[in-house]
Amino acid sequence: MGIISSLKIINEIAFNTFKESLKSRFFALFAIFAFIMLYASALGSMLSISHEERVLADISLLLIEIMCLVYALFHVSSALTREIQEKTIYLILSRPVPRHICLAGKELGVMITTAFIALITSIMAICVIKTRGLDVPSFFFAAVAGAFLKTAIITAFAFLFSFVSTSDTTAFVMSGLLYVLGHITSELGPLMEKASGAKYLMLKACSIIFPNLNLYSLRETAEAGFPLSIGALAAALIWIAAAYAISAWLFSKKEF
Amino acid sequence: MEENEKQKNFSLIKNYSIPIISMIMLLAGNYIANSSYVSSFPPITELNPTSLSAPLDMAAIALGSRRVFADIWLIRILIYYGKENIGEGHASSADEVYSEFYERAFHIARLDPSFRSANTLTAAILAFNMSQYEDAENLLKYLLKYQPKQRFYTQTLLSIAQKKKGNPEAVLESILPIIREPDCPALIKNVTALLYRRAGQWQEAEKIYIDIINSSKEKDYVEKAIEGLKDIAAIKSGYPDPILSELQNL
């Protein structure tokens, strides 16, 4: 199969996945819930009196990231594992579509959906900020891009976990744990200095194995003058590619 | 026999080449990521959590959201500070009521040293409202360790040192560079206006009061600024400054 025809198939599967997610009732409910959460954050920020602009932007950006992550993880389970369980995957695999192409299409579809969620929640957040008569911070869009990159990494690993775990819930929990560990990784340095023996080795292993997601927390660092580095971008692409390669390998070995 | 063994090994490597290469890629990704990472926050070991702060600190680290949790701690400290209606000039009673203020203020600093408006506000409250100069200086020195170029901290530290020496003119001089910044706390602007009043520079004091009225969302300070403008109008008509004795204590 040629590269162009492969890309065409990936494109078709991705947009089909995206369209399906938009049609689901869960999407509408999620959008309403997102708006309520973002609007509620405005009430919280009002308590900070003269720091409302910063507080509202910070809470909104965290909510955008969490919503993208949660939606992406729910979507991963329905994008492939549920299709495998419900045997609807045969509709694709019965055609001359290699499994790794199918997986690439599904992953891209989930990432497009995540980007769409990030866009919608960002528009909602901007509306809430503007209704309060405040300015949108200059780093807002960079922070949303960082959140999207972070979610894309976790999504790639979530697909991998969905192949090695026994249920959707386990894959969801494992991906959530990776998100948490990814933030803790960069904090391990000072702890390692104080640790010794097995404890040190364990911390060292964690710092080597788990991706450092704080690199993409631009909502935390962009204002202080720490933009996304090329190294961080390269690392994100490597992680996504590696997680995809292992997932594709596992998918190719899977028997239905 | 040996040939068979070799073929078996080769096919094993071939079968597992993708996951092996991918694992190497993951590790390479981590190497690249960690070599380009510099944290702008104090290390986790400095967080010094209490039973009150531990769950929130854990969430701050786990979600990579120190900024948001510094915001939450700011809201908490503002609620804590607002729990008793103790105004400026009642420093001794404030010490007793706000016994946790310093620790809470330090916690915001540990979570986010770049939160200059909040950190300057808490340091200024400690120094100018509670007369806890040592605590305010410790807080600002800690902040300067992580934000050495932050003018808000250097100037506030300088003004506190001058206040300790009882040199109001020098306090005024050291505060001036930061009061034009949009996120300068209203408390500092108010202190500056009072210092101008003490120095007899009514026009400058008036400008600051107008700035507070136009830009601050803190009702207390807006009311104080309105009062201040009324006082200055009265002074211009020949009356003495109604808070002259208070100003002498500055």
Side-chain angles (χ1 to χ4, degrees), chain B residues 162 166-176 195 198-199 201 250:
Chain B
Q162 296 301 341
N167 189 354
E169 287 79 23
V171 175
L172 184 61
E173 211 172 286
S174 37
I175 293 181
L176 279 179
L195 288 166
R198 186 190 151 115
Q201 297 182 37
L250 270 175

Side-chain angles (χ1 to χ4, degrees), chain A residues 96-116:
Chain A
V97 178
R99 289 185 183 189
H100 66 274
I101 297 285
C102 170
L103 179 70
K106 291 286 179 189
E107 281 203 23
L108 190 63
V110 174
M111 283 175 195
I112 292 170
T113 312
T114 310
F116 188 68

Side-chain angles (χ1 to χ4, degrees), chain B residues 187-243:
Chain B
L187 166 68
I188 290 191
K189 288 182 184 175
N190 188 51
V191 168
T192 315
L194 292 173
L195 288 166
Y196 271 131
R197 276 172 75 172
R198 186 190 151 115
Q201 297 182 37
W202 318 116
Q203 272 186 332
E204 294 301 322
E206 229 170 16
K207 275 184 202 165
I208 293 172
Y209 282 139
I210 291 167
D211 180 33
I212 293 174
I213 294 166
N214 289 335
S215 62
S216 180
K217 287 180 180 171
E218 291 173 63
K219 235 170 82 185
D220 280 358
Y221 286 104
V222 172
E223 280 169 12
K224 275 181 187 173
I226 293 167
E227 281 297 311
L229 284 178
K230 280 180 192 167
D231 289 349
I232 290 171
I235 294 161
K236 281 180 178 171
S237 321
Y239 291 97
D241 197 327
I243 54 162

Side-chain angles (χ1 to χ4, degrees), chain A residues 29-49:
Chain A
L29 281 172
F30 198 82
I32 294 166
F33 179 71
F35 186 74
I36 292 169
M37 289 292 284
L38 286 164
Y39 199 76
S41 68
L43 299 174
S45 65
M46 280 158 69
L47 292 170
S48 66
I49 316 171

Side-chain angles (χ1 to χ4, degrees), chain A residues 15-226:
Chain A
F15 276 94
N16 196 42
T17 310
F18 174 58
K19 271 189 276 177
E20 269 176 31
S21 79
L22 292 192
K23 276 187 219 159
S24 74
R25 250 183 311 172
F26 182 62
F27 178 78
L29 281 172
F30 198 82
I32 294 166
F33 179 71
F35 186 74
I36 292 169
M37 289 292 284
L38 286 164
Y39 199 76
S41 68
L43 299 174
S45 65
M46 280 158 69
L47 292 170
S48 66
I49 316 171
S50 51
H51 304 85
E52 193 180 352
E53 195 169 301
R54 171 185 150 130
V55 175
L56 184 54
D58 284 351
I59 299 176
S60 300
L61 287 167
L62 177 63
L63 284 173
I64 289 170
E65 187 176 309
I66 290 175
M67 280 169 199
C68 285
L69 180 77
V70 172
Y71 194 84
L73 293 185
F74 271 119
H75 202 39
V76 168
S77 64
S78 64
L80 204 66
T81 37
R82 199 165 299 163
E83 282 204 25
I84 293 169
Q85 283 162 7
E86 291 170 2
K87 313 285 183 204
T88 46
I89 192 86
Y90 290 133
L91 291 171
I92 301 171
L93 297 182
S94 58
R95 293 172 189 194
V97 178
R99 289 185 183 189
H100 66 274
I101 297 285
C102 170
L103 179 70
K106 291 286 179 189
E107 281 203 23
L108 190 63
V110 174
M111 283 175 195
I112 292 170
T113 312
T114 310
F116 188 68
I117 290 281
L119 179 73
I120 287 184
T121 46
S122 299
I123 293 169
M124 285 176 184
I126 290 168
C127 289
V128 173
I129 291 170
K130 287 283 176 194
T131 12
R132 295 286 315 140
L134 304 167
D135 289 330
V136 178
S138 55
F139 63 93
F140 188 88
F141 297 103
V144 174
F148 170 72
L149 262 180
K150 220 189 260 190
T151 314
I153 295 167
I154 297 291
T155 304
F157 279 97
F159 271 101
L160 170 60
F161 295 144
S162 69
F163 286 115
V164 292
S165 61
T166 48
S167 71
D168 296 348
T169 320
T170 323
F172 189 94
V173 171
M174 283 165 85
S175 309
L177 278 175
L178 182 72
Y179 177 79
V180 169
L181 287 168
H183 286 121
I184 295 174
T185 302
S186 62
E187 307 278 356
L188 295 179
L191 292 177
M192 272 192 279
E193 284 169 17
K194 291 185 177 179
S196 59
K199 200 175 164 188
Y200 173 82
L201 287 174
M202 207 179 76
L203 290 172
K204 186 77 189 164
C206 284
S207 71
I208 292 171
I209 294 166
F210 298 114
N212 177 3
L213 295 181
N214 276 332
L215 279 166
Y216 312 99
S217 289
L218 297 183
R219 59 188 160 80
E220 294 279 293
T221 55
E223 197 186 33
F226 289 85

